[in-house]
Amino acid sequence: MTDREKALKLVQTYEFMLVELNLYLDTHPEDGKAFECFEHYRKLAAEARECYVKKFGPLSAVQGELVNGKWNWVNDPWPWEVK
Amino acid sequence: MFVYEKKLEHPVKIDRPNAALAKVIVSQFGGPDGELGAATRYLSQRFAAPYPEVKAILTDVGTEELSHIEMVCSVIYQLTRDLSIDEIKKSGFASYFVDHTTGLYPVDASGVPFSAKTFQSTGDVIADLNEDLAAEQKARLTYDNILRLADDPDVRDAIKFLREREIVHYQRFGEALRIVQDHLDSKNFYAFNPSFDTPARKKSGK
């Protein structure tokens, strides 16, 4: 696994927890314990995301930057590609 | 609105091409119980959903299904990289290849293009949620069948993840159906939805 893949895996892991808890909270909107868990992973996900974006570029277009005069959102690899 | 995230929901990293496997997995892109149908089904049905929890679960599961389309397509893309013409001829992939090369096109395993006739959006929340429960089970069993056909651990990892999501979605839709039934009149022990004739907000005086 490359450093980029490792950093991305961390984002995927924490954000998956958010997806899962999001669905659970949709049908259990008054479950405070589940929300606490959601908040915990929301923090971890934000940190992992920030770390990834700083090193490897944007995860969403609004995080795009001009790097050496070029819009870095277009940069390879795209998610379906294996590098 | 929807915003693209430049990552998969779960990693897909397949080293060995396998066109024969791609030809059956494509059914989870464009087949009768595939992810394209799932996303389109839930994201269409949600407009007729009467309760906030149900609007939320249809929106959020529908959105997750969009990321499953992307995962299934990534599996197929990676399974059909660097194929030789000989491998294409031998694997049974030629009938797909002749029309689409290795581009992604939503068809089922026997090549029939995706059809919205594979799902319904009835405007009736009880009918819709019952369809959704069946849809998750049908997608789950399709993944079970793919797992019976696939040996490559890289492929199995992605398919197992997708299979598990069907089980969770089934559970959440079951809870959504229970929420809907709790809103029915206590004298109505048959699960049917009277909301078109007597809108819920009129009855509750909101």
Side-chain angles (χ1 to χ4, degrees):
Chain A
M1 231 191 247
T2 64
D3 286 352
R4 192 189 71 84
E5 284 168 346
K6 273 185 214 155
L8 187 61
K9 183 79 212 275
L10 215 55
V11 177
Q12 284 166 318
T13 303
Y14 292 140
E15 291 197 349
F16 174 70
M17 288 305 295
L18 298 182
V19 168
E20 179 71 326
L21 286 160
N22 175 177
L23 297 189
Y24 177 84
L25 282 162
D26 284 355
T27 54
H28 306 78
E30 289 167 16
D31 189 330
K33 214 170 164 192
F35 180 72
E36 261 176 45
C37 196
F38 182 84
E39 269 190 311
H40 172 74
Y41 284 105
R42 178 160 61 188
K43 211 174 144 231
L44 291 173
E47 286 165 10
R49 220 180 145 82
E50 206 190 316
C51 184
Y52 179 93
V53 171
K54 236 183 243 167
K55 279 191 202 153
F56 303 107
L59 284 168
S60 67
V62 291
Q63 297 166 327
E65 304 275 2
L66 218 56
V67 176
N68 302 323
K70 192 184 163 201
W71 171 237
N72 69 348
W73 171 246
V74 303
N75 289 356
D76 282 340
W78 281 77
W80 51 91
E81 294 170 333
V82 179
K83 287 244 165 162
Chain B
M1 69 172 287
F2 292 92
V3 178
Y4 186 64
E5 287 272 314
K6 200 173 176 177
K7 63 174 172 65
L8 300 179
E9 189 188 5
H10 179 87
V12 174
K13 198 179 178 188
I14 297 161
D15 289 329
R16 283 173 296 169
N18 183 337
L21 203 48
K23 205 177 177 239
V24 297
I25 293 176
V26 77
S27 222
Q28 280 305 92
F29 180 24
D33 307 304
E35 302 291 356
L36 179 59
T40 318
R41 175 189 295 113
Y42 308 141
L43 293 177
S44 302
Q45 288 176 348
R46 66 191 174 130
F47 293 93
Y51 309 115
E53 294 90 341
V54 184
K55 292 175 210 175
I57 200 70
L58 287 169
T59 299
D60 294 335
V61 174
T63 303
E64 190 180 351
E65 306 293 12
L66 292 173
S67 61
H68 294 172
I69 297 174
E70 187 184 32
M71 275 185 70
V72 169
C73 289
S74 298
V75 168
I76 298 160
Y77 169 79
Q78 293 179 19
L79 282 173
T80 55
R81 274 178 315 160
D82 311 322
L83 286 172
S84 69
I85 283 294
D86 263 1
E87 285 169 314
I88 289 165
K89 281 184 187 167
K90 267 188 269 166
S91 61
F93 191 70
S95 56
Y96 181 97
F97 179 85
V98 71
D99 291 322
H100 312 294
T101 327
T102 56
L104 264 296
Y105 183 71
V107 292
D108 71 12
S110 39
V112 179
F114 174 72
S115 169
K117 287 180 178 170
T118 56
F119 70 87
Q120 249 285 32
S121 176
T122 65
D124 180 303
V125 68
I126 293 177
D128 280 353
L129 284 171
N130 275 287
E131 168 168 328
D132 302 347
L133 287 161
E136 295 295 333
Q137 288 299 335
K138 290 189 285 178
R140 190 268 307 151
L141 80 85
T142 309
Y143 285 124
D144 279 332
N145 287 338
I146 291 170
L147 288 169
R148 291 180 180 115
L149 297 166
D151 296 326
D152 184 339
D154 298 338
V155 175
R156 292 179 65 86
D157 177 73
I159 299 298
K160 279 196 258 178
F161 173 85
L162 291 164
R163 178 188 175 278
E164 282 164 21
R165 300 312 294 154
E166 308 301 338
I167 293 165
V168 171
H169 293 172
Y170 177 81
Q171 174 71 20
R172 298 284 96 89
F173 284 140
E175 291 155 0
L177 183 58
R178 177 184 45 74
I179 290 167
V180 171
Q181 289 181 342
D182 285 348
H183 281 86
L184 295 175
D185 192 296
S186 62
K187 288 178 189 156
N188 174 13
F189 25 82
Y190 299 103
F192 70 91
N193 172 26
S195 69
F196 183 79
D197 301 313
T198 51
R201 67 173 175 282
K202 211 189 275 173
K203 271 203 309 199
S204 64
K206 268 186 216 158

Coordinates of all heavy atoms in Angstrom, one line a residue, chain A residues 1-2 5 8-9 11-13 15-16 19-20 22-29 49 52 58-61 72-83, chain B residues 3-15 52-54 56-58 60-61 64 70 73-74 77-78 81 161 165 168-169 172-173 175-176 178-179:
Chain A
M1 N 0.8 -1.2 0.0 CA 0.0 0.0 0.0 C 0.9 1.3 0.0 O 1.8 1.4 0.8 CB -0.9 0.0 1.2 CG -2.4 0.2 0.9 SD -3.3 0.6 2.5 CE -4.3 -0.9 2.5
T2 N 0.6 2.2 -0.9 CA 1.4 3.4 -0.9 C 0.9 4.3 0.2 O -0.1 4.1 0.8 CB 1.1 4.2 -2.3 OG1 -0.3 4.5 -2.3 CG2 1.5 3.3 -3.5
E5 N -2.5 5.7 -0.5 CA -3.6 4.7 -0.3 C -3.8 4.5 1.2 O -5.0 4.4 1.7 CB -3.2 3.3 -0.9 CG -3.3 3.3 -2.4 CD -2.7 2.1 -3.0 OE1 -1.9 1.3 -2.4 OE2 -3.0 1.8 -4.2
L8 N -5.7 7.5 2.4 CA -7.1 7.5 1.9 C -7.9 6.4 2.6 O -9.1 6.6 2.9 CB -7.1 7.1 0.4 CG -8.4 7.2 -0.3 CD1 -9.0 8.6 -0.3 CD2 -8.3 6.8 -1.8
K9 N -7.3 5.3 2.9 CA -8.0 4.2 3.7 C -8.5 4.7 5.0 O -9.6 4.4 5.4 CB -7.0 3.0 3.9 CG -7.6 1.8 4.5 CD -8.5 1.0 3.5 CE -9.6 0.3 4.2 NZ -9.4 -1.0 4.8
V11 N -9.4 7.8 5.7 CA -10.5 8.7 5.4 C -11.7 7.8 5.1 O -12.8 8.0 5.7 CB -10.3 9.6 4.2 CG1 -11.5 10.4 3.9 CG2 -9.1 10.5 4.5
Q12 N -11.5 6.7 4.3 CA -12.6 5.8 4.0 C -13.2 5.1 5.2 O -14.4 5.0 5.3 CB -12.1 4.8 2.9 CG -12.0 5.4 1.5 CD -11.2 4.5 0.6 OE1 -10.2 3.9 1.0 NE2 -11.7 4.3 -0.6
T13 N -12.3 4.7 6.1 CA -12.7 4.0 7.3 C -13.6 4.9 8.2 O -14.7 4.5 8.6 CB -11.5 3.5 8.1 OG1 -10.7 2.7 7.2 CG2 -11.9 2.7 9.3
E15 N -15.1 7.8 7.4 CA -16.3 8.3 6.7 C -17.3 7.1 6.5 O -18.5 7.4 6.5 CB -15.9 9.0 5.4 CG -15.1 10.3 5.8 CD -15.1 11.3 4.6 OE1 -15.4 10.9 3.5 OE2 -14.6 12.4 4.9
F16 N -16.8 5.9 6.5 CA -17.8 4.8 6.4 C -18.6 4.7 7.7 O -19.8 4.5 7.7 CB -17.1 3.4 6.2 CG -18.1 2.3 6.3 CD1 -19.1 2.2 5.3 CD2 -18.1 1.4 7.3 CE1 -20.0 1.1 5.4 CE2 -19.0 0.4 7.5 CZ -20.0 0.3 6.5
V19 N -21.3 7.1 7.4 CA -22.4 6.7 6.5 C -23.3 5.7 7.3 O -24.5 5.8 7.3 CB -21.8 5.9 5.3 CG1 -22.9 5.2 4.5 CG2 -21.1 6.9 4.4
E20 N -22.7 4.8 8.0 CA -23.4 3.7 8.7 C -24.2 4.4 9.9 O -25.4 4.1 10.0 CB -22.4 2.7 9.3 CG -23.0 1.6 10.1 CD -23.8 0.6 9.3 OE1 -24.4 1.0 8.3 OE2 -23.8 -0.6 9.7
N22 N -25.2 7.5 10.1 CA -26.2 8.4 9.5 C -27.4 7.6 9.2 O -28.5 8.0 9.5 CB -25.5 8.9 8.2 CG -26.4 9.8 7.3 OD1 -26.0 10.3 6.3 ND2 -27.7 9.9 7.7
L23 N -27.3 6.4 8.6 CA -28.5 5.6 8.3 C -29.2 5.2 9.5 O -30.4 5.2 9.6 CB -28.1 4.4 7.4 CG -27.5 4.6 6.0 CD1 -27.4 3.3 5.3 CD2 -28.3 5.6 5.2
Y24 N -28.4 4.7 10.5 CA -29.0 4.3 11.8 C -29.8 5.4 12.4 O -30.9 5.3 12.9 CB -27.9 3.8 12.7 CG -28.5 3.4 14.1 CD1 -29.0 2.1 14.3 CD2 -28.5 4.3 15.2 CE1 -29.6 1.7 15.5 CE2 -29.0 3.9 16.4 CZ -29.6 2.6 16.6 OH -30.1 2.3 17.8
L25 N -29.2 6.6 12.4 CA -29.8 7.8 13.1 C -31.1 8.2 12.3 O -32.0 8.8 12.9 CB -28.8 9.0 13.2 CG -27.8 8.8 14.4 CD1 -26.6 9.8 14.2 CD2 -28.5 9.1 15.7
D26 N -31.1 8.0 11.0 CA -32.3 8.3 10.2 C -33.6 7.6 10.8 O -34.7 8.2 10.9 CB -32.2 7.9 8.8 CG -31.3 8.9 8.0 OD1 -30.8 9.9 8.6 OD2 -31.0 8.6 6.8
T27 N -33.4 6.3 11.2 CA -34.6 5.6 11.7 C -34.6 5.5 13.3 O -35.5 5.0 13.9 CB -34.7 4.2 11.2 OG1 -33.4 3.5 11.4 CG2 -35.0 4.2 9.7
H28 N -33.5 6.1 13.9 CA -33.5 6.2 15.4 C -33.0 7.6 15.8 O -32.0 7.8 16.4 CB -32.5 5.2 16.0 CG -32.8 3.8 15.6 ND1 -32.4 3.3 14.3 CD2 -33.3 2.7 16.2 CE1 -32.8 2.0 14.3 NE2 -33.3 1.6 15.4
P29 N -33.8 8.6 15.4 CA -33.3 10.0 15.5 C -33.1 10.5 17.0 O -32.5 11.5 17.2 CB -34.3 10.9 14.7 CG -35.5 10.0 14.6 CD -35.1 8.6 14.6
R49 N -9.2 13.6 6.8 CA -9.5 14.2 5.6 C -8.5 15.4 5.3 O -7.9 15.5 4.3 CB -10.9 14.8 5.6 CG -11.7 14.6 4.4 CD -13.1 15.2 4.6 NE -13.5 15.8 3.4 CZ -14.0 15.2 2.4 NH1 -14.2 13.9 2.5 NH2 -14.3 15.8 1.2
Y52 N -5.1 14.1 4.5 CA -5.0 13.6 3.1 C -5.0 14.8 2.1 O -4.1 14.8 1.2 CB -6.2 12.7 2.8 CG -6.2 12.2 1.4 CD1 -5.6 11.0 1.1 CD2 -6.7 12.9 0.3 CE1 -5.6 10.5 -0.2 CE2 -6.7 12.5 -1.0 CZ -6.1 11.3 -1.3 OH -6.0 10.8 -2.6
P58 N -7.2 17.5 -3.5 CA -8.6 17.7 -3.1 C -9.4 16.4 -3.1 O -9.2 15.6 -4.0 CB -9.2 18.7 -4.1 CG -8.3 18.6 -5.2 CD -6.9 18.3 -4.7
L59 N -10.4 16.2 -2.2 CA -11.3 15.1 -2.2 C -12.7 15.6 -2.8 O -13.5 14.8 -3.1 CB -11.5 14.5 -0.8 CG -10.4 13.6 -0.3 CD1 -10.5 13.4 1.2 CD2 -10.3 12.3 -1.1
S60 N -12.9 17.0 -2.8 CA -14.0 17.5 -3.4 C -13.6 18.8 -4.2 O -12.6 19.4 -3.8 CB -15.1 17.8 -2.4 OG -14.8 18.9 -1.6
A61 N -14.3 19.1 -5.2 CA -13.9 20.2 -6.1 C -13.7 21.5 -5.4 O -12.8 22.3 -5.8 CB -14.8 20.3 -7.3
N72 N -5.7 21.6 -9.6 CA -5.3 20.3 -9.3 C -6.5 19.3 -9.1 O -6.2 18.1 -8.8 CB -4.4 20.3 -8.0 CG -5.1 20.7 -6.8 OD1 -6.2 21.2 -6.8 ND2 -4.5 20.6 -5.6
W73 N -7.7 19.7 -9.2 CA -8.8 18.8 -9.1 C -8.8 17.8 -10.2 O -9.2 16.6 -10.0 CB -10.2 19.6 -9.1 CG -11.4 18.8 -9.2 CD1 -12.3 18.7 -10.3 CD2 -12.0 17.9 -8.3 NE1 -13.3 17.9 -10.1 CE2 -13.2 17.3 -8.8 CE3 -11.6 17.5 -7.0 CZ2 -14.0 16.4 -8.1 CZ3 -12.4 16.5 -6.3 CH2 -13.6 16.0 -6.9
V74 N -8.2 18.1 -11.4 CA -8.3 17.2 -12.5 C -7.2 16.1 -12.4 O -7.2 15.1 -13.1 CB -8.0 17.9 -13.9 CG1 -9.1 19.0 -14.1 CG2 -6.6 18.5 -14.0
N75 N -6.3 16.3 -11.4 CA -5.1 15.3 -11.4 C -5.5 13.9 -11.2 O -6.4 13.5 -10.4 CB -4.2 15.7 -10.2 CG -3.5 17.0 -10.5 OD1 -3.6 17.6 -11.6 ND2 -2.7 17.5 -9.5
D76 N -4.8 13.0 -11.9 CA -4.8 11.6 -11.7 C -4.2 11.2 -10.3 O -3.3 12.0 -9.9 CB -4.1 10.8 -12.8 CG -4.9 10.7 -14.1 OD1 -6.2 10.9 -14.0 OD2 -4.3 10.5 -15.1
P77 N -4.5 10.1 -9.7 CA -5.5 9.1 -10.2 C -6.9 9.4 -9.7 O -7.1 10.0 -8.7 CB -5.0 7.8 -9.4 CG -4.4 8.4 -8.1 CD -3.8 9.7 -8.5
W78 N -7.9 9.0 -10.6 CA -9.3 9.1 -10.2 C -9.6 7.8 -9.4 O -8.9 6.8 -9.5 CB -10.1 9.3 -11.4 CG -10.0 10.8 -11.8 CD1 -9.0 11.4 -12.4 CD2 -11.0 11.8 -11.4 NE1 -9.2 12.8 -12.4 CE2 -10.4 13.1 -11.9 CE3 -12.2 11.9 -10.8 CZ2 -11.1 14.3 -11.7 CZ3 -12.9 13.1 -10.6 CH2 -12.3 14.3 -11.1
P79 N -10.7 7.8 -8.7 CA -10.9 6.7 -7.7 C -10.9 5.3 -8.3 O -10.6 4.3 -7.6 CB -12.3 7.0 -7.1 CG -12.4 8.5 -7.2 CD -11.7 8.8 -8.5
W80 N -11.3 5.1 -9.6 CA -11.4 3.8 -10.1 C -10.1 3.3 -10.6 O -9.9 2.1 -11.0 CB -12.5 3.8 -11.3 CG -12.2 4.8 -12.3 CD1 -11.5 4.7 -13.4 CD2 -12.8 6.2 -12.3 NE1 -11.5 5.9 -14.1 CE2 -12.3 6.8 -13.4 CE3 -13.6 6.9 -11.4 CZ2 -12.7 8.1 -13.7 CZ3 -14.0 8.2 -11.7 CH2 -13.5 8.8 -12.9
E81 N -9.1 4.2 -10.6 CA -7.8 3.8 -11.2 C -6.9 3.2 -10.1 O -6.9 3.6 -8.9 CB -7.1 5.0 -11.8 CG -7.9 5.5 -13.0 CD -7.4 6.9 -13.5 OE1 -6.9 7.7 -12.7 OE2 -7.6 7.1 -14.7
V82 N -6.0 2.3 -10.5 CA -5.1 1.7 -9.6 C -3.7 2.1 -10.1 O -3.3 1.9 -11.2 CB -5.1 0.1 -9.6 CG1 -4.1 -0.4 -8.7 CG2 -6.5 -0.3 -9.2
K83 N -3.0 2.8 -9.1 CA -1.6 3.3 -9.5 C -0.6 2.7 -8.6 O -0.8 2.6 -7.4 CB -1.6 4.8 -9.4 CG -2.4 5.4 -10.6 CD -1.5 6.2 -11.4 CE -2.2 6.6 -12.8 NZ -1.6 7.6 -13.5
Chain B
V3 N -22.8 16.4 -4.5 CA -21.5 16.8 -4.7 C -20.6 15.6 -4.8 O -20.7 14.7 -4.0 CB -21.0 17.7 -3.6 CG1 -19.6 18.2 -3.8 CG2 -21.9 19.0 -3.4
Y4 N -19.7 15.6 -5.8 CA -18.8 14.4 -6.0 C -17.7 14.4 -5.0 O -17.0 15.4 -4.7 CB -18.2 14.4 -7.4 CG -17.5 13.1 -7.6 CD1 -18.1 11.9 -7.6 CD2 -16.1 13.1 -7.8 CE1 -17.5 10.7 -7.8 CE2 -15.4 11.9 -8.0 CZ -16.1 10.7 -8.0 OH -15.4 9.5 -8.1
E5 N -17.4 13.2 -4.4 CA -16.3 13.0 -3.6 C -15.3 12.1 -4.4 O -15.7 11.0 -4.8 CB -16.7 12.2 -2.3 CG -17.5 13.0 -1.4 CD -16.6 13.7 -0.4 OE1 -15.7 13.1 0.2 OE2 -16.8 14.9 -0.2
K6 N -14.0 12.6 -4.4 CA -13.0 11.9 -5.3 C -12.4 10.7 -4.5 O -11.2 10.6 -4.2 CB -12.0 12.9 -5.7 CG -11.2 12.5 -6.9 CD -10.2 13.6 -7.3 CE -9.3 13.3 -8.4 NZ -8.5 14.5 -8.8
K7 N -13.3 9.7 -4.1 CA -12.8 8.5 -3.5 C -14.0 7.5 -3.5 O -15.1 7.9 -3.7 CB -12.5 8.8 -2.0 CG -13.7 9.3 -1.2 CD -13.3 9.4 0.3 CE -14.3 10.0 1.1 NZ -15.6 9.2 1.2
L8 N -13.6 6.2 -3.4 CA -14.6 5.2 -3.4 C -15.1 5.0 -1.9 O -14.4 5.4 -1.0 CB -14.1 3.8 -3.9 CG -13.6 3.8 -5.3 CD1 -13.0 2.4 -5.7 CD2 -14.7 4.2 -6.3
E9 N -16.3 4.5 -1.7 CA -16.8 4.2 -0.4 C -15.9 3.2 0.3 O -15.7 3.3 1.5 CB -18.3 3.8 -0.4 CG -18.8 3.7 1.0 CD -20.2 3.1 1.1 OE1 -20.7 2.6 0.1 OE2 -20.8 3.1 2.2
H10 N -15.4 2.2 -0.4 CA -14.6 1.2 0.1 C -13.5 0.9 -1.0 O -13.9 0.9 -2.2 CB -15.4 -0.1 0.4 CG -14.7 -1.3 0.9 ND1 -14.4 -1.4 2.2 CD2 -14.1 -2.3 0.2 CE1 -13.8 -2.6 2.4 NE2 -13.6 -3.1 1.2
P11 N -12.3 0.6 -0.7 CA -11.2 0.5 -1.7 C -11.5 -0.7 -2.7 O -12.0 -1.7 -2.3 CB -10.0 0.2 -0.9 CG -10.2 0.6 0.5 CD -11.7 0.5 0.7
V12 N -11.2 -0.5 -3.9 CA -11.2 -1.5 -5.0 C -9.9 -1.5 -5.6 O -9.5 -0.5 -6.2 CB -12.3 -1.3 -6.0 CG1 -12.2 -2.3 -7.1 CG2 -13.7 -1.3 -5.4
K13 N -9.2 -2.6 -5.4 CA -7.8 -2.8 -6.0 C -7.6 -4.2 -6.5 O -7.3 -5.1 -5.7 CB -6.8 -2.4 -5.0 CG -5.4 -2.0 -5.6 CD -4.4 -1.7 -4.6 CE -3.1 -1.4 -5.3 NZ -2.0 -1.2 -4.3
I14 N -7.8 -4.4 -7.8 CA -7.8 -5.7 -8.4 C -6.6 -5.8 -9.3 O -6.4 -5.0 -10.2 CB -9.1 -6.0 -9.2 CG1 -10.2 -6.0 -8.2 CG2 -9.0 -7.3 -9.9 CD1 -11.6 -5.8 -8.8
D15 N -5.7 -6.8 -9.1 CA -4.4 -6.9 -9.8 C -4.6 -7.7 -11.1 O -4.1 -7.4 -12.2 CB -3.3 -7.6 -9.0 CG -2.8 -6.6 -7.9 OD1 -2.9 -5.4 -8.2 OD2 -2.4 -7.1 -6.8
P52 N -40.6 12.4 8.0 CA -39.2 12.8 7.9 C -38.2 11.7 7.9 O -37.2 11.7 7.1 CB -39.0 13.7 9.0 CG -40.2 13.6 9.9 CD -41.3 13.0 9.1
E53 N -38.4 10.7 8.8 CA -37.4 9.6 8.8 C -37.4 8.8 7.5 O -36.3 8.3 7.1 CB -37.8 8.6 9.9 CG -37.8 9.1 11.4 CD -39.1 9.7 11.8 OE1 -40.0 10.1 10.9 OE2 -39.3 9.9 13.0
V54 N -38.5 8.7 6.9 CA -38.6 7.9 5.6 C -38.0 8.7 4.5 O -37.2 8.2 3.6 CB -40.0 7.5 5.3 CG1 -40.1 6.6 4.1 CG2 -40.6 6.8 6.5
A56 N -35.6 10.8 4.9 CA -34.2 10.8 5.1 C -33.5 9.4 4.7 O -32.5 9.4 4.0 CB -33.9 11.0 6.6
I57 N -34.2 8.3 5.1 CA -33.6 7.0 4.8 C -33.5 6.8 3.3 O -32.6 6.2 2.7 CB -34.2 5.9 5.6 CG1 -33.3 4.7 5.7 CG2 -35.5 5.4 5.0 CD1 -32.1 4.9 6.5
L58 N -34.6 7.2 2.5 CA -34.6 6.9 1.1 C -33.5 7.8 0.4 O -32.9 7.4 -0.5 CB -36.0 7.2 0.5 CG -37.1 6.2 0.8 CD1 -38.5 6.7 0.4 CD2 -36.8 4.9 0.1
D60 N -30.7 9.0 1.9 CA -29.4 8.6 2.2 C -29.0 7.2 1.7 O -27.8 7.0 1.3 CB -29.2 8.6 3.8 CG -29.3 10.1 4.3 OD1 -29.0 11.0 3.5 OD2 -29.7 10.3 5.4
V61 N -29.9 6.3 1.7 CA -29.6 5.0 1.0 C -29.5 5.2 -0.5 O -28.5 4.6 -1.1 CB -30.7 3.9 1.4 CG1 -30.4 2.6 0.6 CG2 -30.7 3.6 2.9
E64 N -26.1 6.4 -1.1 CA -25.1 5.4 -0.9 C -25.1 4.5 -2.1 O -24.0 4.1 -2.6 CB -25.3 4.6 0.4 CG -24.1 3.7 0.7 CD -24.2 2.8 1.9 OE1 -25.1 3.0 2.7 OE2 -23.3 2.0 2.1
E70 N -20.5 3.2 -8.5 CA -19.1 3.6 -8.8 C -18.2 2.4 -8.4 O -17.2 2.2 -9.1 CB -18.8 4.9 -8.0 CG -17.4 5.4 -8.3 CD -17.1 6.6 -7.5 OE1 -17.5 6.7 -6.3 OE2 -16.3 7.5 -8.0
C73 N -18.6 -0.4 -11.0 CA -18.0 0.0 -12.2 C -16.5 -0.1 -12.1 O -15.8 -0.4 -13.0 CB -18.4 1.4 -12.6 SG -20.1 1.4 -13.2
S74 N -15.9 0.3 -10.9 CA -14.5 0.2 -10.7 C -14.0 -1.2 -10.8 O -12.9 -1.5 -11.3 CB -14.1 0.8 -9.3 OG -14.5 2.2 -9.3
Y77 N -14.1 -2.1 -14.4 CA -13.0 -1.4 -15.1 C -11.6 -2.1 -14.9 O -10.9 -2.3 -15.8 CB -12.9 0.0 -14.6 CG -11.7 0.8 -15.0 CD1 -11.6 1.4 -16.3 CD2 -10.7 1.0 -14.1 CE1 -10.5 2.1 -16.7 CE2 -9.5 1.7 -14.5 CZ -9.4 2.2 -15.8 OH -8.3 2.9 -16.1
Q78 N -11.4 -2.5 -13.6 CA -10.1 -3.1 -13.2 C -10.0 -4.5 -13.7 O -8.9 -5.0 -14.1 CB -9.9 -3.0 -11.7 CG -9.7 -1.5 -11.3 CD -9.5 -1.4 -9.8 OE1 -9.1 -2.4 -9.1 NE2 -9.7 -0.2 -9.3
R81 N -8.9 -4.4 -17.6 CA -7.7 -3.7 -18.0 C -6.8 -4.7 -18.7 O -6.7 -5.8 -18.3 CB -7.0 -3.1 -16.8 CG -7.5 -1.7 -16.4 CD -6.7 -1.3 -15.2 NE -6.7 -2.4 -14.2 CZ -5.8 -2.5 -13.3 NH1 -4.8 -1.6 -13.1 NH2 -5.8 -3.5 -12.4
F161 N -18.2 -6.5 0.8 CA -18.6 -5.2 1.4 C -20.0 -4.8 0.8 O -20.9 -4.4 1.6 CB -17.5 -4.1 1.0 CG -18.0 -2.7 1.4 CD1 -17.7 -2.2 2.7 CD2 -18.7 -1.9 0.5 CE1 -18.2 -1.0 3.1 CE2 -19.1 -0.6 0.9 CZ -18.8 -0.2 2.2
R165 N -23.8 -4.3 2.8 CA -24.6 -3.1 2.8 C -26.0 -3.4 2.4 O -26.9 -2.7 2.9 CB -24.0 -2.1 1.7 CG -22.6 -1.6 2.0 CD -22.4 -1.2 3.4 NE -23.1 0.0 3.8 CZ -23.5 0.3 5.1 NH1 -23.2 -0.5 6.0 NH2 -24.2 1.4 5.3
V168 N -27.7 -4.3 5.7 CA -28.0 -3.1 6.6 C -29.1 -2.3 6.0 O -30.0 -1.8 6.7 CB -26.7 -2.2 6.7 CG1 -27.0 -0.9 7.4 CG2 -25.6 -3.0 7.5
H169 N -29.2 -2.1 4.7 CA -30.2 -1.3 4.1 C -31.6 -2.0 4.3 O -32.6 -1.4 4.5 CB -30.0 -1.2 2.5 CG -28.8 -0.3 2.2 ND1 -28.3 -0.1 0.9 CD2 -28.0 0.5 3.0 CE1 -27.3 0.7 1.0 NE2 -27.1 1.0 2.2
R172 N -32.7 -1.2 7.8 CA -33.2 0.2 7.9 C -34.5 0.4 7.2 O -35.4 1.1 7.7 CB -32.2 1.2 7.3 CG -30.8 1.2 7.9 CD -30.7 1.9 9.3 NE -30.9 1.0 10.4 CZ -29.9 0.4 11.0 NH1 -28.7 0.6 10.7 NH2 -30.1 -0.4 12.0
F173 N -34.7 -0.2 6.1 CA -36.0 -0.1 5.4 C -37.1 -0.8 6.2 O -38.3 -0.3 6.3 CB -36.0 -0.7 4.0 CG -35.3 0.2 3.0 CD1 -34.5 -0.3 2.0 CD2 -35.5 1.6 3.0 CE1 -33.8 0.5 1.1 CE2 -34.9 2.4 2.1 CZ -34.0 1.8 1.1
E175 N -37.2 -0.9 9.5 CA -37.5 0.1 10.5 C -38.3 1.3 10.0 O -39.3 1.7 10.6 CB -36.2 0.7 11.1 CG -35.4 -0.4 11.9 CD -33.9 -0.1 12.0 OE1 -33.4 0.9 11.5 OE2 -33.2 -0.9 12.7
A176 N -38.0 1.7 8.7 CA -38.8 2.7 8.1 C -40.3 2.3 7.9 O -41.2 3.1 8.2 CB -38.2 3.1 6.8
R178 N -41.8 0.1 9.8 CA -42.4 0.1 11.1 C -42.9 1.5 11.5 O -44.0 1.7 12.0 CB -41.5 -0.5 12.1 CG -42.0 -0.4 13.6 CD -41.0 -0.9 14.6 NE -39.7 -0.3 14.5 CZ -39.3 0.9 14.8 NH1 -40.2 1.8 15.2 NH2 -38.1 1.3 14.6
I179 N -42.0 2.5 11.2 CA -42.4 3.9 11.5 C -43.6 4.3 10.8 O -44.5 4.9 11.3 CB -41.2 4.8 11.1 CG1 -40.0 4.6 12.1 CG2 -41.6 6.3 11.1 CD1 -38.7 5.2 11.7

